[in-house]
Amino acid sequence: METKQAIAALTALGHASRLAAYRLLVEAGPAGRMAGEIAEALSIPNATLSFHLKELVQAGLAESENRGRNVCYRANFDAMNGLVAYLTHNCCAGSNDDACAPSPGCDC
C-alpha cells in the first residue's frame, strides 16, 4: 500500500459512523451486509449512511454490489490487510524489547 492510499483509508476510518459501519462489514465477512441492515444496526438514517459508505468505497476499504433496488456492501479485506501491513512495516525494528516483537505469522 502506498502512503496516499493509507492516508485515504485512515481519513475514511476517522469518523465514528464510518468506523462503526466498517467494523460491521468486517464482522459480516465476505458475504457483506445490506445497506438497510447497517443503517438499522447503527441507527443512522439511510441517506447519511449512504454518504459514509460511499466514502469507504472511495477509500478502497469497501465494495458495493447492487441487488435489485438494494445495495450490499462488503469489506475489502485485501485493502484492510494492506493498511495493517503498511502501519506495522518495520514495527519495532530499532527496539530490543521482546514485548515489541511483531505478531506471529506477521511478515512485517
Side-chain angles (χ1 to χ4, degrees):
M1 176 171 282
E2 300 293 326
T3 299
K4 188 174 181 178
Q5 294 169 300
I7 291 170
L10 292 169
T11 299
L13 294 172
H15 187 280
S17 295
R18 286 193 289 272
L19 181 58
Y22 191 70
R23 291 186 72 189
L24 283 176
L25 293 177
V26 170
E27 181 182 302
R33 290 185 82 162
M34 301 302 286
E37 294 172 5
I38 299 168
E40 186 177 321
L42 300 178
S43 299
I44 297 176
N46 288 336
T48 303
L49 179 67
S50 178
F51 168 78
H52 290 308
L53 291 172
K54 180 185 70 134
E55 293 294 313
L56 291 172
V57 169
Q58 286 182 339
L61 292 171
E63 301 167 344
S64 64
E65 174 188 347
N66 289 329
R67 293 186 182 171
R69 296 186 318 170
N70 300 309
V71 182
C72 180
Y73 289 89
R74 65 182 51 85
N76 179 340
F77 291 100
D78 288 339
M80 180 185 74
N81 291 331
L83 179 60
V84 171
Y86 177 87
L87 293 172
T88 58
H89 183 75
N90 294 328
C91 176
C92 303
S95 174
N96 292 326
D97 187 348
D98 290 337
C100 190
S103 303
C106 179
D107 59 355
C108 325

